Amino acid sequence: MHLYVYSDLPAAARRQLEAGLPSGIHLSYRTDLPAGQQAPALHQAEVLLGNPPAGWLAAGGPPQLRLWQLDSAGFDRYQGMQVAGQVANMGDFFAWPCAETMVAGLLAHYRALPALVRLQSQQHWQSLAERAHTGLLRGKRVVVLGAGAIAQALRQQLSGYECAVQLLARTNPAAQLHTRQQLLAVLPATDVLLNCLPGSARQFVRADLLAALAPGGVYASVGRGTTTNEDDLLAALQSGHLAGAVLDVTATEPLPPGHPFWTMPQVLLTQHTGGGQPHEAEGKVRQLLRNLERLQRGQPLENVVDLSQGY
């Protein structure tokens, strides 16, 4: 069986993978091949680890593919793609760190940490003035767009700050809100709008939602950058209707030089680091090894996904 590793694994994760592989598996790494051989080698794979460019799979991918282990939770870029074999994602592996990133960003906003960091870089002390600008995350009214693993982790973490949290999802029974109309009705009494939506919800957050949010509200996003109309977000920030934004994702990544978000003091960019955690690559390898063992035993895989859905 041929395992093709598209992911760029560090040395420790490579050693872990090679030590854990069953016998009889031929292993090749994209990063060890010349550029011209990387895509053709993928088409010999029976097992694939990682997220190759969609164009590499445009013709249906490897004909003998049995298992495609994505190294991400999201897979909207592959929506509607037809491939042989089963596809699995990383499930809730990134949920807790993504939620922590959003909570950290909100705390930074309310406790004026970006301004204090700038003052530190200038070696300038103005304690009394900055104390007047601090707020509290405690007790904030929060709406989370989505009801998946990240949204659930956010609700759990924010409960420690006594926040009132509502989730939005069309059909998930864990959500309190199910329609855009219901969302618009509660936003005037909402302090924080948190976006955990998949890429299939393109441009879901636009001017009407941002305008409905309580004045001085905060917008935070850890879903997909394409789910936010960034022109509308920029206008809401520039007008002062929104007090701030915490953005782990943007529509274009990396964010282009000169984009206003880079220099707006009320915007905190976490640069798609939300899912980062210790031994992240090793965690991806462990997920692959578990599913590979299940595949060989004829057992159901963990975190099987349907590419036709895109989330």
Side-chain angles (χ1 to χ4, degrees), residues 160-303:
Y161 294 90
E162 301 178 2
C163 293
V165 181
Q166 298 184 81
L167 309 183
L168 169 81
R170 286 177 297 177
T171 59
N172 193 317
Q176 295 74 40
L177 307 170
H178 300 285
T179 68
R180 193 177 188 89
Q181 290 69 31
Q182 291 174 341
L183 174 61
L184 285 165
V186 303
L187 283 179
T190 297
D191 303 302
V192 178
L193 181 61
L194 272 162
N195 182 353
C196 302
L197 294 172
S200 55
R202 186 174 179 82
Q203 300 283 294
F204 184 89
V205 178
R206 48 188 186 268
D208 62 333
L209 296 188
L210 298 172
L213 193 62
V218 178
Y219 177 67
S221 181
V222 70
R224 288 291 180 269
T226 54
T227 63
T228 302
N229 184 309
E230 291 183 347
D231 290 338
D232 291 350
L233 175 59
L234 180 61
L237 289 164
Q238 290 175 330
S239 72
H241 177 69
L242 293 185
V246 180
L247 304 177
D248 191 58
V249 291
T250 53
T252 301
E253 296 182 2
L255 187 68
H259 193 288
F261 288 160
W262 280 117
T263 55
M264 297 179 76
Q266 69 271 49
V267 174
L268 177 59
L269 296 169
T270 58
Q271 301 192 27
H272 213 140
T273 62
Q277 56 192 287
H279 311 296
E280 181 179 342
E282 289 86 343
K284 296 175 181 179
V285 168
R286 285 193 296 272
Q287 177 68 69
L288 169 67
L289 291 174
R290 286 196 301 270
N291 267 340
L292 187 55
E293 181 179 4
R294 287 175 170 269
L295 179 71
Q296 293 189 317
R297 292 183 176 182
Q299 298 174 339
L301 303 184
E302 296 180 2
N303 305 316

Side-chain angles (χ1 to χ4, degrees), residues 46-222:
E46 295 171 78
V47 178
L48 169 62
L49 171 63
N51 298 19
W56 287 21
L57 305 168
Q64 67 274 38
L65 187 68
R66 300 177 61 192
L67 165 63
W68 177 8
Q69 178 63 63
L70 298 159
D71 66 7
S72 64
F75 52 94
D76 48 275
R77 78 185 81 169
Y78 305 118
Q79 184 174 2
M81 186 172 291
Q82 299 292 324
V83 297
Q86 299 183 79
V87 184
N89 72 350
M90 290 297 295
D92 62 1
F93 180 72
F94 299 105
W96 194 265
C98 282
E100 283 201 7
T101 295
M102 290 294 96
V103 172
L106 293 173
L107 284 169
H109 169 79
Y110 285 114
R111 302 308 299 164
L113 296 188
L116 292 169
V117 169
R118 288 191 291 270
L119 288 170
Q120 182 175 345
S121 70
Q122 300 163 9
Q123 300 185 42
H124 181 56
W125 188 281
Q126 55 178 46
S127 172
L128 291 178
E130 290 307 314
R131 285 175 69 97
H133 296 144
T134 57
L136 292 175
L137 177 57
R138 182 181 184 183
K140 289 295 183 288
R141 303 162 297 178
V142 180
V143 168
V144 180
L145 304 180
I150 298 175
Q152 299 285 353
L154 275 165
R155 181 163 62 180
Q156 182 178 350
Q157 292 178 24
L158 289 170
S159 68
Y161 294 90
E162 301 178 2
C163 293
V165 181
Q166 298 184 81
L167 309 183
L168 169 81
R170 286 177 297 177
T171 59
N172 193 317
Q176 295 74 40
L177 307 170
H178 300 285
T179 68
R180 193 177 188 89
Q181 290 69 31
Q182 291 174 341
L183 174 61
L184 285 165
V186 303
L187 283 179
T190 297
D191 303 302
V192 178
L193 181 61
L194 272 162
N195 182 353
C196 302
L197 294 172
S200 55
R202 186 174 179 82
Q203 300 283 294
F204 184 89
V205 178
R206 48 188 186 268
D208 62 333
L209 296 188
L210 298 172
L213 193 62
V218 178
Y219 177 67
S221 181
V222 70

